[in-house]
């Protein structure tokens, strides 16, 4: 049990006061010689006036006791702003009562008239002044609502992130939040305005009634697509502040995780809260910390968390195994064994499908297993391998064996698309350079090998014609210059690009010769103006190097995500072409220390052109060395990887998003033969199928809200993609309590952990200050005083009335 006003328990000590006084007041009877009847009669007359005073004083004391008891039971309250005034009035009343008591004592004892009447007059004046002042303050004060019965505008913000699925003591954190939210709703009258707000993007609004609010609480589940928590708090504060009710409060039920309060995706999300909370009218904000406490040091926060799978290639060649790696993070300080398995869904022409209202997925089989050991700060890295796969889209997942307290991050999903070889034409007079590029793109496979990623043709620019453009995905023009093409070939090339073709050009020495020897603009002015926006060659004797400027671009993404970055400064560049970009161009890389573009993409209607303004593939070590050392250094893996990324991009091998995180927009490309399809149907494990429109050969999926594998049916074979939770979403790191001051502002909130602290904080923020405890203490004090005075007055009452007491009779000698 608990006490609303624990200070009243101190009053129990007063129960011993009458006993103590009784023991102190006991005296041995005095022995007197029995006096004459005349002496007894004179004594009765002398004490008659004193007895009257004593009776009236006790009557007033008892009447005041009953009146004060009635006031106390009415539970008086005062406005917090007037607390000092009422305290002063209370002190004046107590002084007035004390003066009256002194005056009565003086009257009984027969003290000199000026003293006793002065004390009585001062007491009456003090009481009248205090009562008059109190009446004036009461008449002019604001009306106060009784906190337990007045309606209120409240908003309950529930931080239903995926972490709230963490289970401890046979209860998840979300279930604990729901219990607390239902208790909060039950505390307020039915005519209150109650809003239940979660981390979704739904507008904040009031429920119809308390029952609707309780149903809304029961429907809340952990969400994976989340709005920033500070934004939801802002919406809650603005909602309750717009209410006409006098009482306004916002309760935030959260696990106090760093990711909720300081999200990496929105680091400044909380900056608006301190000034908002400082505005008028005031809103009482309580942060209810309900994070899962560690059971003990051995099993503290026992959660194994999978990182995102890292695939060596998301669009591999057919019949080629694909390695992947994935990290396993744990919270335990002692190393623990972890075991993971790679599972693949079988390809099926009839599945997924809906049967009896449920989505039936293709069979799932395990293709690889591995194990490792992980500890806090030392994750285990598991290496798995996808088997050789036929053409099509393949879905799978990596799963940790066993269970833990938070199962949502024990599974990660993946999708790979095995495409037919991209058809690439290499235009160059430099046969060694073409051969080297072919080896870079197809590794050990021959160009005509069905397992090769590129079906490569070679051709000199002079042989190029419109007929060569049939059935091409991309063209690589190495060391180009316009005179190498005829006017008709140049116009055909431009038309092909504008129709959706992709061209890559690596500028070099031949381009320099063509520009410096004053040759006529063969190939057509349009070709030169569109594909050769050149200014001059720059020479940097000490060398410069590449700097990636758009890390999220498909060409740069893999290089930008590498741990530790790429040491481009180890691959100096001595000569390069300066080009003249237009506003529509995307500069993907620059030369360090300059504003000169190194890698540029220019869209041309449905197609695009990508320039490298220095040679990429050397025809010989000597020729390349005068321009750069990209492929000359001992370990030229960055140049190798950059070349692969460029040709995956221009060859349409990585167009689309096959592996994304929750909240990222998804577009999936269709093969050429399926581009006429207008609509697909999307299937997932935990949701009914939904239609997906197709626009210009791209399935416009939108933003997925849950992790999992997704199938797009309507073409054969079915295509799809995989969605994962971001790694940071399920980190269990909590925020330091002191940081709430920076996020919310000092004195703008209360940090509480249980129902008792919620009630205490609610009382601190109330405008009313209850006086029930103080009034009951005064009642107790008057009761004790009444007992003391009655014992003192009536202890010799028999003798005063002329009736001899037993003690006196026994004392006759």
């Amino acid at each position: 049990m608990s006490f609303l006003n624990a200070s009243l328990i101190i009053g129990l000590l007063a129960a011993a006061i009458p006993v103590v006084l009784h023991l102190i007041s006991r005296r041995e009877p005095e022995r007197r010689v029995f006096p004459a009847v005349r002496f007894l009669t004179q004594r009765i007359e002398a004490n008659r006036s004193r007895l009257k005073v004593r009776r009236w004083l006790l009557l007033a004391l008892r009447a005041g006791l009953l009146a004060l008891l009635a006031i106390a039971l009415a539970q008086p309250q005062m406005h917090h702003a007037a607390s000092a005034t009422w305290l002063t009035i209370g002190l004046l009343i107590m002084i007035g009562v004390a003066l009256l008591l002194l005056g009565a004592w003086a009257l009984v004892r027969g003290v000199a008239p000026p003293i006793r009447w002065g004390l009585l007059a001062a007491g009456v004046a003090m009481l009248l002044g205090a009562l008059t002042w109190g009446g004036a303050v009461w008449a002019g004060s604001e009306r106060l609502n009784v906190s337990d019965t007045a309606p209120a505008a409240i908003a309950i913000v529930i931080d239903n992130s995926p972490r709230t699925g963490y289970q401890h003591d046979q209860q998840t954190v979300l279930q604990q939040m729901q219990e607390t939210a239902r208790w909060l709703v039950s505390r307020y009258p039915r005519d209150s305005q109650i809003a239940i707000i979660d981390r979704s993007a739904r507008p904040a609004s009031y429920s119809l009634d308390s029952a609707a609010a309780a149903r809304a609480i029961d429907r809340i589940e952990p969400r994976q697509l989340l709005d920033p928590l500070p934004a939801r708090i802002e919406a809650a504060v603005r909602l309750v502040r717009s209410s006409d009710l006098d009482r306004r409060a916002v309760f935030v039920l959260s696990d106090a995780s760093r990711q909720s309060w300081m999200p990496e995706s929105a680091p400044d999300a909380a900056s608006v809260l301190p000034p908002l909370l400082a505005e008028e009218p005031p809103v009482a904000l309580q942060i209810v910390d309900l994070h899962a406490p560690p059971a003990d040091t051995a099993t503290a926060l026992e959660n194994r968390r999978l990182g995102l799978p890292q695939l060596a290639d998301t669009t591999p060649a057919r019949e080629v195994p694909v390695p992947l790696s994935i990290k396993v993070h744990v919270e335990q300080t002692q190393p623990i064994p972890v075991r993971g398995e790679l599972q693949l869904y079988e390809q099926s022409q009839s599945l997924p499908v809906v049967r009896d209202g449920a989505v039936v997925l293709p069979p799932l089989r395990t293709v690889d297993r591995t194990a490792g050991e992980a500890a806090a700060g030392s994750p285990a890295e598991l290496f798995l391998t996808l088997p050789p796969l036929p053409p099509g889209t393949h879905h799978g997942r990596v799963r940790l064996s066993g269970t833990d307290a938070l199962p949502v991050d024990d599974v990660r999903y993946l999708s790979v698309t095995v495409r037919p070889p991209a058809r690439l034409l290499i235009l160059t007079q430099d046969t060694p350079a073409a051969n080297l590029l072919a080896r870079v793109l197809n590794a050990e496979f021959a160009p005509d090998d069905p397992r090769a990623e590129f079906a490569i043709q070679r051709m000199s620019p002079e042989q190029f014609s419109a007929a060569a453009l049939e059935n091409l995905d991309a063209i690589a023009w190495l060391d180009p210059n316009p005179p190498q093409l005829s006017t008709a070939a140049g116009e055909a090339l431009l038309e092909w690009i504008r129709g959706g073709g992709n061209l890559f050009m690596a500028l070099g020495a031949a381009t320099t010769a063509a520009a410096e020897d004053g040759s006529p603009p063969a190939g057509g002015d349009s070709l030169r103006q569109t594909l050769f926006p050149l200014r001059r060659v720059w020479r940097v004797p000490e060398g410069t190097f590449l700097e990636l400027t758009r890390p999220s671009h498909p060409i740069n993404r893999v290089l930008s995500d590498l741990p530790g970055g790429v040491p481009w400064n180890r691959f100096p560049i001595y000569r390069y072409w300066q080009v003249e970009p237009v506003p529509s161009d995307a500069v993907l890389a620059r030369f360090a220390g300059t504003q000169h573009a190194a890698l540029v993409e220019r869209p041309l209607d449905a197609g695009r052109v990508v320039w490298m303004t220095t040679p990429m593939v050397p025809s010989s070590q000597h020729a390349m060395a005068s321009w750069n050392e990209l492929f000359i250094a001992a370990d030229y893996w960055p140049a190798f990887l950059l070349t692969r990324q460029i040709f995956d991009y221009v060859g349409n091998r990585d167009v689309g998003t096959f592996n994304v995180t929750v909240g990222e927009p998804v577009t999936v490309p269709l093969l050429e033969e399926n581009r006429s399809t207008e609509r697909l149907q999307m299937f997932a494990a935990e949701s009914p199928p939904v239609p997906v429109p197709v626009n210009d050969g791209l399935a416009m999926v939108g933003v997925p809200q849950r992790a999992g594998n997704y199938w797009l049916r309507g073409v054969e074979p079915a295509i799809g993609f995989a969605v994962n939770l971001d790694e940071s979403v399920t980190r269990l790191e909590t925020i330091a309590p002191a940081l709430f001051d920076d996020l919310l502002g000092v004195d703008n909130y209360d940090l509480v952990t249980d129902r008792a602290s919620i009630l205490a904080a609610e009382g601190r923020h109330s405008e009313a200050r209850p006086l029930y405890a103080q009034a009951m203490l005064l009642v107790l004090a008057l009761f004790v005083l009444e007992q003391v005075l009655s014992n003192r007055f009536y202890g010799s009452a028999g003798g005063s009335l002329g009736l001899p007491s037993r003690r006196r009779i026994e004392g006759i000698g």
Side-chain angles (χ1 to χ4, degrees), residues 90-364:
L91 289 174
L92 292 178
I93 292 176
M94 293 178 65
I95 293 173
V97 171
L99 291 175
L100 286 177
L101 291 175
L102 288 174
W105 176 83
L107 184 62
V108 170
R109 290 295 184 183
V111 180
I115 297 177
R116 63 193 184 197
W117 295 115
L119 290 173
L120 291 173
V124 171
M126 190 74 70
L127 284 177
L128 289 177
L131 293 176
T132 303
W133 188 11
V137 172
W138 181 37
S141 62
E142 299 180 5
R143 181 181 62 86
L144 286 175
N145 290 318
V146 179
S147 61
D148 292 336
T149 59
I154 68 169
I156 302 175
V157 182
I158 299 179
D159 179 13
N160 57 328
S161 70
R163 293 175 303 276
T164 57
Y166 190 96
Q167 186 169 5
H168 66 99
D169 294 336
Q170 299 181 345
Q171 187 182 43
T172 65
V173 174
L174 180 60
Q175 290 171 340
Q176 186 179 359
M177 291 181 178
Q178 290 172 319
E179 287 183 1
T180 304
R182 285 190 289 267
W183 173 76
L184 286 171
V185 170
S186 68
R187 293 190 59 252
Y188 289 89
R190 294 184 177 273
D191 52 348
S192 296
Q193 296 176 337
I194 302 176
I196 307 300
I197 302 172
D198 65 356
R199 295 284 300 276
S200 68
R202 287 192 297 268
S205 60
Y206 292 113
S207 301
L208 294 177
D209 51 28
S210 299
R215 290 194 297 271
I217 294 171
D218 294 336
R219 288 194 299 267
I220 290 179
E221 296 180 347
R223 286 186 61 86
Q224 297 184 7
L225 182 61
L226 305 170
D227 263 21
L229 181 59
R232 303 307 287 164
I233 298 175
E234 177 187 356
V237 172
R238 295 189 186 279
L239 178 65
V240 299
R241 184 166 281 159
S242 65
S243 174
D244 295 331
L245 299 177
D246 293 332
R247 299 171 61 208
R248 304 175 185 87
V250 173
F251 300 91
V252 182
L253 311 184
S254 173
D255 60 356
S257 67
R258 175 175 290 274
Q259 182 59 25
S260 286
W261 288 94
M262 304 178 69
E264 297 175 0
S265 58
D268 300 326
S271 60
V272 71
L273 290 178
L276 177 66
L277 294 171
E279 295 176 2
E280 294 290 337
V283 174
L285 175 63
Q286 292 193 38
I287 309 301
V288 187
D289 183 3
L290 298 175
H291 74 274
D296 53 57
T297 56
T299 61
L301 300 175
E302 52 177 39
N303 181 46
R304 302 169 303 162
R305 173 169 52 88
L306 276 173
L308 296 179
Q310 302 297 320
L311 287 159
D313 193 351
T314 59
T315 57
R318 59 183 177 177
E319 303 301 332
V320 174
V322 180
L324 70 85
S325 64
I326 191 167
K327 291 184 178 181
V328 184
H329 304 264
V330 298
E331 305 294 335
Q332 289 86 342
T333 56
Q334 296 297 325
I336 62 172
V338 292
R339 182 178 180 84
E341 59 183 13
L342 174 60
Q343 299 175 317
L344 280 181
Y345 289 96
E346 296 181 1
Q347 282 189 309
S348 173
Q349 295 183 353
S350 59
L351 299 176
V353 71
V354 178
R355 293 176 184 167
D356 299 328
V359 177
V360 180
L361 300 179
L364 191 64

Side-chain angles (χ1 to χ4, degrees), residues 345-398:
Y345 289 96
E346 296 181 1
Q347 282 189 309
S348 173
Q349 295 183 353
S350 59
L351 299 176
V353 71
V354 178
R355 293 176 184 167
D356 299 328
V359 177
V360 180
L361 300 179
L364 191 64
R365 61 188 177 93
T366 300
V367 297
D368 197 6
R369 290 187 178 93
T370 189
E373 195 173 71
S378 179
E381 188 167 11
L382 306 182
F383 295 94
L384 301 156
T385 302
L386 286 168
L389 301 172
T393 299
H394 301 266
H395 300 286
R397 66 182 190 180
V398 178

Side-chain angles (χ1 to χ4, degrees), residues 625-689:
S626 64
W627 285 80
N628 60 65
E629 296 185 15
L630 291 175
F631 271 94
I632 295 177
D635 185 10
Y636 54 78
W637 65 266
F640 175 88
L641 188 55
L642 178 60
T643 303
R644 288 297 304 265
Q645 292 300 113
I646 289 174
F647 281 91
D648 279 348
Y649 182 64
V650 299
N652 292 326
R653 295 193 59 80
D654 65 347
V655 176
T657 44
F658 304 110
N659 293 275
V660 299
T661 56
V662 173
E664 289 187 55
V666 175
T667 57
V668 179
L670 276 63
L671 296 176
E672 189 69 32
E673 58 268 23
N674 296 325
R675 287 182 176 270
S676 60
T677 305
E678 296 182 355
R679 188 178 296 272
L680 301 174
Q681 203 170 21
M682 183 169 69
F683 291 81
E686 298 182 0
S687 59

Side-chain angles (χ1 to χ4, degrees), residues 508-529:
T511 311
T512 303
E516 292 179 350
D517 63 6
S519 59
D525 291 334
S526 178
L527 179 70
R528 181 184 291 275
Q529 293 172 2

